[in-house]
Amino acid sequence: MPDGRRFEQLLDDRPELASALEAVLEVDREIDQWTFDDVPLDSGTFGELASTELIEKHGDGYSIADRDAVERIVSGDTGTDEMSASNRSLSASLSLDQVDLPLVGTAFAALAFLLAFRLFSWSAVFRDGVVVLSGNDPYYYRYLVEQLLTTGPFDLSVLSSLPQTVTNGEPLLVVTLSWATSLVGGTPADAGFVLALYPVISAVITGGVVYLVTERVSGDRRAALAAIFILSILPAHAYRTSLGYADHHAFDYIWLSLTMLLLVVSTTRRGLAPGRTAAFASSLGIVVALQSLAWDASPVLLAPIGPFLVLKTAMDVRDGREPLKANAEIVGGLAVGTTLVVLVHTGLNWHTTKVSAAPGLLFLGSVGVVGLGEGVRRFDRSLREYGLGLAAGFVLSTGSALLLFPAFVTNALDSAGVLFSQGAIVETQSLFAAGSLPWLLVLGPPLVTTVAYTLYEIKRVHDGHAPSAVTATYAVYFLLLSVLQIRFVGEYALVAATLSGMAFVHLTSWLDISNPPAWLSATMEGDAWSPSRLDWSALSAVAFLLLLVGGLGMIQTPIKTSQLTIDDGAYRTADQIATYDETRDDPHTDYVLSPWGENRMYNYFVNGQSQSYAFARDTYRPFMTTASNESGGYQMLSGRVEYIVSTGRWQPDTIGARLQEAYGGQRDTAPALDHYRAFYESPDGQYIAYEVVDGAVVTGSGRPNSVLNASVHPPVGEDSATYRKNVRVNDHGVYETVVPYTGTYQIGGRPVTVSESAVQNGTYLSAFDGPGMAAWSFDEGNGSTAYDRSGGYHFEMANASWTEGVNDTGVRFGRENGYVQTSRFKGPSDDFTIRFWIRPRSTVRETNNVIVRTSTSLPVILRPNGRISFRIPGMSEEFLLAEAVQDGEWSSVTLTYDGTTKRAYVNGELVGTQHVETTTDIPKFGRRLAVGGGFYTAESSFTGGIDEMRIYDRALSNETVAHLADRNESAAGN
């Protein structure tokens, strides 16, 4: 029985078949049984008619099965409005029979195959109850979604005040994912689950749409099934829609594929009621609007609508169709899309003006192109004149835009330049970049079949097949974009799957494995195949060809997917940093510096801030490849970076080599690093986590100009792991070195214990064995540093010089405001002694001269009459006045405080005492300790010499003071 409903659908797809059916009907009226040679049709057209069962085969002849039914179809009287009861019954009885169960089962199997190829990353994404997204960018969207969840994604006031990074980026994607997350619970954990699954959902949707596009374009369901299979194993599409890879591309694929489908459908629709036309235009407009709102580079994905419409209108003019009527739905759809985007842009402030203007510009262009085509048709002009009109319109519209909207055009061109700029990122490289053969890895053999069938689709366009205008346009356009940047190869994969599916069916036919393709055959028997109707030999041959075409993709897809997943060592390192950070009680940034390709992942799990990798991209590699000194770029990182992830292989002597192979210690000729402390190492040693620390400063003594060895076991690695450092002693016999680890160091054979507090705060630790808390001999005689060979509080000299001292040399203050000082002194907090030798240059002064200054007071002053004035710093304002010291002579001065009494000694003799009232106060020296220097005025600066200065954390006895007054005392004396 004739399948009239199927033919009605075929006429919707191919309106030009109506005239072919009329020609067959005319022959059938004259000849009862006729042959293919009797009808004025080509084999392809005849095959499409025969597939409807309107034509019956009788041996070597043909006839129309039901001439009356065909008469009604040709006349347009299908009985829709007054369908007889029998017809209704017939329709009902046919509805179930029309379901091709083997075909449906095969289609679902194909989609299941596609789904399986998107789940290779399952174990890498779902780990220990945590969702570990693949790649770097998905953590950007994860951050944005979680931020939006805290403010309420269903609140319109929130949607209109989103951060600029969202509104000017991918607002629809972020909001859609936030809505989905809210529906399943709304927690950060739910967000991770939604983001992990969404690319897979996109893959299944686009697979179904590709099936429909292919079936519409080819008329052959075998090609549509093959297209799903090929899409499944195209790495270009597979890795961007794999489980866990939640970036914007998977979202874009949905709207792009739907746009292609609706354009294909628009080329096959004819004479529909106004209501259905409006519904279709609205559907296209909604999809165009959603595509526009999905990505800030959406104009690039909408652009092929323009050349398609130019080509389609040319076909309409050539084939005698009315362009205005044939393309009204497309123009109307662009009008609807423009309206929706403008409403969202003005209402919610989504996207910049240049992005929001894209649908409007397409709409204006479509009006111009279709209007031009309609004019050419009505006035019976040629296609050449149509082309000249397009060129003139392009020049005129471009010139007008430059004249009327120069800033807009400049901004758009600048944005395009940024988008298509070549950089170090892989996705900005060409599909045919030299060396790595990226086309083979992301597309493989299907690229060859796609290019071949793109040429064939261009031929079909020339022959008048309107749906091919869509596939030909999109194939050429996205191939060119992929040649510019490989980031667009996923979009190209959508149309490549369709064309490769068609090529595959053609190849099986050429090898005599299957019937000819529907678009080439005189019958449609080949289109009705299902696996149950193939013998095993044919199935084996088809399977072999599938492996031949898709084998490389089947291998490369899991490889490419695994390359995107987060390595277990990297995730474990991020988790350990996060655990370690929870134990830290500091105001640091918690920022993790790592390879930029995983930087968002590290910072998401450690501090939740994964919106940018720019600093890591610009800093990590230059930092790791620097052959730096001990500071190792600390000043650049301090205050910005708290943790560093070391991984990879680096050239010898670089920071990277020292971090990766020596825990920051000495390596060959490269010095040890001072400020990076390892606290975690992955079991395979591939990842080492470092904390950026101030480092403890150890100062001590050794043989002048010698090199001491310092070593300690770090808290990572094997028991034999050691942090080693060479410590250089200067020509004064003093060393000063920074160390990042806690523990007991062996420095020159002497143990030095470094605490956690010292490492975190940059505390100075003394390895001297000199007398008291501090002991400055001033015996250096050159340079600008006077070394404390007891407490390590070295003085820096300013406007002071070296002079002959009590023993060897001393320091002379001969200029205004000359002094020596340290800014890290930790003074005694109870009993103390200050002792020094002094030689004033003049006892005739107009004001007090400062001898010792602290952060809180002036505890030691030389009066104008030469008497020494002493008070307790930060505690008492009362002065104890001692006897005068002799001008031009070295005098020993000792000042003590035992908690109740101040005492002053000159040359070993007690010359003054003063009782201090009982108080709860304690001495407060502060961090600054200076000798010399003015106070208020330059005239208060001491002039003369100072030598052999000591500070003790106890009050020396009378006997000890007398003993130490000996002029021959040395710096190492007791």
Side-chain angles (χ1 to χ4, degrees):
M1 183 168 290
D3 190 351
R5 293 182 61 186
R6 183 175 179 186
F7 185 71
E8 279 294 304
Q9 181 181 358
L10 185 61
L11 282 185
D12 283 343
D13 296 345
R14 298 286 306 279
E16 63 270 21
L17 291 181
S19 60
L21 184 58
E22 290 182 18
V24 172
L25 183 61
E26 186 66 27
V27 173
D28 193 77
R29 291 192 188 106
E30 297 177 359
I31 306 174
D32 289 336
Q33 288 192 18
W34 35 268
T35 65
F36 170 67
D37 294 332
D38 294 323
V39 293
L41 303 178
D42 59 58
S43 60
T45 304
F46 181 74
E48 291 182 89
L49 292 179
S51 70
T52 64
E53 299 177 2
L54 293 175
I55 297 175
E56 292 181 338
K57 184 174 178 59
H58 307 281
D60 295 331
Y62 297 90
S63 68
I64 293 179
D66 188 339
R67 189 179 298 168
D68 291 339
V70 173
E71 294 278 5
R72 287 195 299 272
I73 292 173
V74 170
S75 66
D77 181 13
T78 60
T80 302
D81 297 331
E82 298 180 1
M83 183 182 290
S84 65
S86 61
N87 279 340
R88 292 190 187 100
S89 176
L90 176 63
S91 175
S93 66
L94 288 176
S95 60
L96 186 60
D97 295 338
Q98 289 174 341
V99 177
D100 190 336
L101 294 180
L103 175 67
V104 172
T106 306
F108 274 103
L111 289 175
F113 182 80
L114 182 150
L115 178 64
F117 265 73
R118 299 304 182 268
L119 300 179
F120 287 118
S121 56
W122 183 277
S123 61
V125 172
F126 298 110
R127 308 187 205 185
D128 304 331
V130 178
V131 175
V132 183
L133 299 178
S134 302
N136 200 32
D137 290 349
Y139 289 92
Y140 168 68
Y141 300 106
R142 191 172 190 172
Y143 166 79
L144 295 177
V145 168
E146 291 183 9
Q147 292 298 305
L148 186 54
L149 288 173
T150 62
T151 56
F154 294 102
D155 188 339
L156 286 179
S157 64
V158 172
L159 298 183
S160 62
S161 58
L162 296 173
Q164 191 175 33
T165 53
V166 177
T167 59
N168 289 355
E170 296 87 13
L172 183 63
L173 170 62
V174 174
V175 170
T176 301
L177 294 176
S178 300
W179 286 346
T181 301
S182 296
L183 294 176
V184 298
T187 67
D190 296 325
F193 182 75
V194 168
L195 266 75
L197 289 183
Y198 121 76
V200 179
I201 296 172
S202 168
V204 174
I205 292 173
T206 54
V209 175
V210 164
Y211 175 92
L212 296 175
V213 169
T214 309
E215 198 277 334
R216 284 274 182 166
V217 172
S218 68
D220 195 317
R221 287 168 289 183
R222 297 172 302 172
L225 291 170
I228 297 179
F229 171 81
I230 291 173
L231 185 68
S232 301
I233 51 84
L234 278 179
H237 182 269
Y239 80 84
R240 286 202 183 275
T241 54
S242 62
L243 180 73
Y245 194 67
D247 81 341
H248 68 87
H249 286 280
F251 197 63
D252 297 329
Y253 295 159
I254 297 174
W255 316 120
L256 180 63
S257 61
L258 286 174
T259 301
M260 291 172 56
L261 175 61
L262 291 174
L263 291 178
V264 168
V265 171
S266 74
T267 64
T268 60
R269 292 161 62 83
R270 60 186 181 87
L272 296 177
R276 294 181 65 184
T277 298
F280 182 87
S282 298
S283 299
L284 178 60
I286 291 172
V287 171
V288 167
L290 294 174
Q291 179 80 83
S292 301
L293 299 170
W295 185 30
D296 56 341
S298 61
V300 177
L301 305 185
L302 292 173
I305 297 176
F308 157 73
L309 201 52
V310 169
L311 183 58
K312 173 63 167 50
T313 301
M315 295 174 67
D316 295 334
V317 172
R318 184 195 63 184
D319 298 337
R321 292 186 293 269
E322 301 178 36
L324 188 59
K325 185 176 180 181
N327 300 294
E329 292 176 330
I330 299 175
V331 176
L334 292 175
V336 172
T338 299
T339 303
L340 293 175
V341 171
V342 169
L343 289 174
V344 174
H345 175 63
T346 56
L348 298 179
N349 197 33
W350 285 11
H351 279 308
T352 60
T353 301
K354 66 176 182 292
V355 174
S356 302
L361 294 175
L362 268 177
F363 167 68
L364 293 177
S366 69
V367 171
V369 169
V370 174
L372 175 63
E374 186 68 20
V376 169
R377 187 196 69 83
R378 292 192 180 185
F379 292 100
D380 198 23
R381 314 310 296 181
S382 66
L383 281 179
R384 179 175 178 275
E385 289 168 302
Y386 170 73
L388 291 174
L390 287 175
F394 176 77
V395 172
L396 181 61
S397 59
T398 302
S400 300
L402 289 171
L403 182 64
L404 299 175
F405 309 103
F408 177 86
V409 174
T410 300
N411 193 308
L413 292 175
D414 289 344
S415 297
V418 171
L419 178 65
F420 290 105
S421 61
Q422 296 289 327
I425 302 176
V426 173
E427 69 176 15
T428 65
Q429 304 302 306
S430 170
L431 177 63
F432 298 102
S436 59
L437 298 177
W439 68 269
L440 185 62
L441 299 179
V442 298
L443 291 174
L447 175 62
V448 178
T449 56
T450 299
V451 172
Y453 244 74
T454 299
L455 299 175
Y456 182 74
E457 284 295 271
I458 293 173
K459 177 184 178 298
R460 293 184 77 195
V461 171
H462 181 269
D463 293 341
H465 190 246
S468 296
V470 179
T471 50
T473 300
Y474 274 74
V476 172
Y477 177 80
F478 281 109
L479 177 60
L480 292 176
L481 283 188
S482 300
V483 170
L484 289 176
Q485 289 191 345
I486 201 171
R487 78 169 83 194
F488 295 104
V489 74
E491 285 80 0
Y492 180 59
L494 297 174
V495 67
T498 290
L499 298 180
S500 287
M502 294 173 65
F504 177 78
V505 172
H506 198 160
L507 180 61
T508 59
S509 171
W510 183 72
L511 295 175
D512 201 24
I513 298 173
S514 70
N515 291 326
W519 61 94
L520 293 178
S521 63
T523 68
M524 294 294 285
E525 295 174 2
D527 185 41
W529 75 273
S530 67
S532 62
R533 298 173 188 164
L534 285 174
D535 58 33
W536 284 108
S537 62
L539 278 174
S540 300
V542 169
F544 175 77
L545 283 179
L546 286 174
L547 288 175
L548 185 65
V549 172
L552 181 61
M554 295 175 71
I555 297 173
Q556 189 63 23
T557 292
I559 292 175
K560 186 66 177 176
T561 301
S562 67
Q563 290 173 344
L564 291 173
T565 59
I566 300 300
D567 180 85
D568 189 65
Y571 168 66
R572 298 299 173 192
T573 302
D575 184 57
Q576 289 295 319
I577 295 175
T579 301
Y580 180 82
D581 187 68
E582 291 176 357
T583 68
R584 316 305 295 166
D585 184 18
D586 56 52
H588 293 167
T589 64
D590 300 345
Y591 181 82
V592 182
L593 180 64
S594 70
W596 72 265
E598 297 174 333
N599 187 253
R600 282 174 164 156
M601 182 276 297
Y602 282 110
N603 282 287
Y604 174 81
F605 285 112
V606 174
N607 55 59
Q609 303 297 312
S610 55
Q611 62 269 46
S612 177
Y613 58 76
F615 181 80
R617 180 194 60 202
D618 298 337
T619 306
Y620 184 78
R621 186 166 184 80
F623 168 75
M624 296 291 278
T625 55
T626 299
S628 177
N629 57 17
E630 290 91 338
S631 64
Y634 173 69
Q635 296 303 321
M636 175 179 66
L637 303 184
S638 180
R640 178 70 172 87
V641 175
E642 187 165 0
Y643 302 108
I644 298 172
V645 176
S646 174
T647 185
R649 297 179 63 86
W650 306 93
Q651 290 296 318
D653 298 341
T654 61
I655 290 177
R658 281 171 277 174
L659 292 179
Q660 192 65 24
E661 301 176 24
Y663 304 106
Q666 187 90 16
R667 188 179 185 278
D668 298 330
T669 60
L673 301 170
D674 296 342
H675 300 285
Y676 311 114
R677 177 174 66 177
F679 61 89
Y680 171 76
E681 182 178 15
S682 62
D684 60 1
Q686 184 177 353
Y687 298 90
I688 305 177
Y690 284 85
E691 181 182 14
V692 180
V693 294
D694 290 339
V697 184
V698 180
T699 182
S701 60
R703 183 168 53 83
N705 300 312
S706 64
V707 177
L708 305 179
N709 294 318
S711 63
V712 72
H713 293 296
V716 296
E718 300 176 352
D719 293 340
S720 59
T722 304
Y723 169 85
R724 302 181 187 279
K725 183 173 187 178
N726 288 343
V727 179
R728 298 189 179 277
V729 183
N730 64 20
D731 55 2
H732 298 297
V734 175
Y735 69 81
E736 185 174 293
T737 188
V738 180
V739 293
Y741 292 96
T742 60
T744 299
Y745 286 78
Q746 295 294 326
I747 303 180
R750 176 176 179 176
V752 178
T753 300
V754 177
S755 68
E756 176 67 17
S757 174
V759 169
Q760 291 292 340
N761 299 312
T763 304
Y764 272 71
L765 302 176
S766 174
F768 292 104
D769 54 5
M773 291 184 64
W776 295 271
S777 66
F778 299 112
D779 288 342
E780 290 74 20
N782 59 70
S784 59
T785 303
Y787 294 102
D788 170 10
R789 299 170 190 268
S790 183
Y793 304 115
H794 307 315
F795 280 145
E796 294 300 320
M797 301 173 62
N799 294 331
S801 60
W802 301 102
T803 187
E804 181 183 356
V806 177
N807 291 302
D808 204 345
T809 60
V811 65
R812 177 176 178 272
F813 305 94
R815 300 178 181 177
E816 292 184 352
N817 205 30
Y819 61 90
V820 296
Q821 75 167 0
T822 179
S823 59
R824 50 181 183 79
F825 182 64
K826 286 187 176 180
S829 58
D830 201 347
D831 303 358
F832 66 88
T833 298
I834 299 176
R835 187 173 63 80
F836 54 88
W837 288 79
I838 185 171
R839 182 174 64 183
R841 200 170 78 177
S842 173
T843 56
V844 181
R845 299 169 186 84
E846 297 180 357
T847 184
N848 296 333
N849 284 182
V850 176
I851 304 300
V852 177
R853 175 202 298 271
T854 70
S855 299
T856 58
S857 64
L858 305 174
V860 184
I861 292 175
L862 182 64
R863 297 282 187 174
N865 57 8
R867 298 183 70 181
I868 298 293
S869 175
F870 167 51
R871 65 179 174 183
I872 302 173
M875 181 174 145
S876 171
E877 292 299 321
E878 282 192 77
F879 283 96
L880 167 63
L881 292 177
E883 295 294 328
V885 293
Q886 298 299 313
D887 177 36
E889 297 290 336
W890 285 106
S891 300
S892 172
V893 176
T894 303
L895 307 168
T896 69
Y897 170 66
D898 63 5
T900 59
T901 305
K902 293 184 287 186
R903 294 180 176 85
Y905 302 83
V906 175
N907 293 325
E909 303 221 356
L910 181 65
V911 294
T913 61
Q914 185 180 66
H915 180 70
V916 178
E917 294 294 333
T918 303
T919 176
T920 58
D921 288 343
I922 61 174
K924 302 179 184 67
F925 280 79
R927 302 288 289 175
R928 184 189 181 204
L929 176 68
V931 177
F935 184 70
Y936 297 127
T937 63
E939 288 75 16
S940 62
S941 299
F942 168 69
T943 59
I946 297 289
D947 197 9
E948 300 294 348
M949 186 171 184
R950 308 283 188 274
I951 297 179
Y952 300 86
D953 58 357
R954 67 185 189 278
L956 299 182
S957 66
N958 294 340
E959 295 78 8
T960 302
V961 171
H963 173 72
L964 294 178
D966 185 355
R967 293 173 58 96
N968 295 323
E969 171 201 14
S970 66
N974 193 331

